Amino acid sequence: QVQVVESGGGSVQAGGSLRLSCTASGLVFDDYAMGWFRQAPGQEREGVSCINWSAHNTNYADSMKGRFTISRDNAKNTLYLQMNSLTPDDTAMYYCVAYAEPYCPSSWVRAFSPNYWGQGTQVTVSS
């Protein structure tokens, strides 16, 4: 049974940083591209970032470029998201996802694209 578990969320002031982590079990981690989505209250889920199996290729939504960094440690079955220069607009539930292929699909930002989802970790940024 595949399990994806996020951690590291919390409350931070604007301009601050947080690092999210995600551990995956029940799958061969380096067979999967991994990613992050987020969902703010009253809004649809949006793709944040995707990283391929080898970490040699990463993708970001435009609003996260330059502020967020995705990385992975295949030896630890762990995915990370370093978030810097946070603003109140970044307040959302953040979800770790696994795609059933080793490379980020062209549709990686679409909510139908991932095969597995975690339960989410809340990030709250205050002004």
Side-chain angles (χ1 to χ4, degrees):
Q1 181 178 354
V2 176
Q3 283 193 311
V4 178
V5 181
E6 305 93 339
S7 62
S11 298
V12 64
Q13 289 192 323
S17 299
L18 279 175
R19 188 194 197 201
L20 305 183
S21 299
C22 164
T23 57
S25 60
L27 52 74
V28 179
F29 189 69
D30 54 7
D31 279 352
Y32 290 76
M34 300 291 295
W36 293 94
F37 275 69
R38 71 183 186 183
Q39 186 170 23
Q43 298 188 21
E44 295 184 353
R45 288 186 182 185
E46 63 171 339
V48 172
S49 185
C50 180
I51 186 168
N52 75 354
W53 72 275
S54 66
H56 287 168
N57 192 270
T58 57
N59 300 273
Y60 297 91
D62 287 344
S63 62
M64 289 73 165
K65 287 180 181 177
R67 299 190 302 124
F68 290 9
T69 302
I70 192 170
S71 61
R72 64 190 292 164
D73 185 338
N74 288 348
K76 296 181 178 180
N77 281 21
T78 302
L79 176 74
Y80 304 98
L81 184 69
Q82 177 67 43
M83 304 185 294
N84 299 326
S85 302
L86 288 162
T87 74
D89 287 343
D90 295 314
T91 294
M93 186 72 78
Y94 284 72
Y95 297 92
C96 176
V97 300
Y99 301 85
E101 54 190 293
Y103 297 94
C104 296
S106 58
S107 59
W108 70 268
V109 295
R110 304 291 297 278
F112 68 75
S113 192
N115 287 72
Y116 301 105
W117 293 76
Q119 293 298 307
T121 185
Q122 178 67 39
V123 171
T124 303
V125 184
S126 59
S127 58

